[in-house]
Amino acid sequence: MARFIALAFIAGFLAVICFHQAAAGLLHAFGVIPSAPYNASPTPPFGVPAWFSASFWGGLWGVLMLWLFNHFNVVEGQWWKALLFGGIALTLVAMIIVFPLKGRGFSLAVFPIGFIVNAAWGVGT
């Protein structure tokens, strides 16, 4: 079980770096979002770079997603189910919980962008 957790964390962590941030980079390159990927600004409370913080949370989400897939015996359609899990679950949690904690308002206009970058994470994981 420890190996499963470690591999799931690593998969989610690396998916942020390789897929989530790449999708954000494409959206930034086409002028859809103003922020560039791989943000190195320190994030509270520990002052780690924003990309590292996102990767850490991606690792935790990876453990949850892969545990759910294992628990519900998902053996077929893993790619599109991971895409939907990342796109919907992570985006809704960001919009409903994370944004208000950071002082950002709730806006449905953010959902499509969040869906794209988080779905990319899901597929990458």
Side-chain angles (χ1 to χ4, degrees):
M1 186 63 164
R3 181 177 177 211
F4 170 84
I5 293 170
L7 290 175
F9 183 86
I10 291 167
F13 186 96
L14 292 176
V16 170
I17 296 168
C18 299
F19 290 86
H20 179 274
Q21 293 296 287
L26 287 172
L27 291 174
H28 176 70
F30 287 106
V32 177
I33 60 174
S35 56
Y38 306 106
N39 184 358
S41 301
T43 57
F46 300 114
V48 298
W51 69 265
F52 187 83
S53 176
S55 294
F56 173 78
W57 286 104
L60 294 180
W61 277 106
V63 172
L64 176 63
M65 182 180 76
L66 295 177
W67 178 83
L68 287 170
F69 280 22
N70 187 49
H71 182 74
F72 291 107
N73 200 26
V74 176
V75 289
E76 292 185 18
Q78 293 171 337
W79 291 99
W80 69 267
K81 289 175 184 173
L83 182 142
L84 290 177
F85 177 83
I88 296 171
L90 274 67
T91 305
L92 287 178
V93 168
M95 291 173 57
I96 295 169
I97 298 171
V98 177
F99 289 175
L101 287 174
K102 292 185 174 187
R104 292 179 59 182
F106 181 85
S107 171
L108 285 177
V110 176
F111 187 84
I113 295 166
F115 184 90
I116 291 169
V117 295
N118 290 320
W121 169 88
V123 170
T125 301

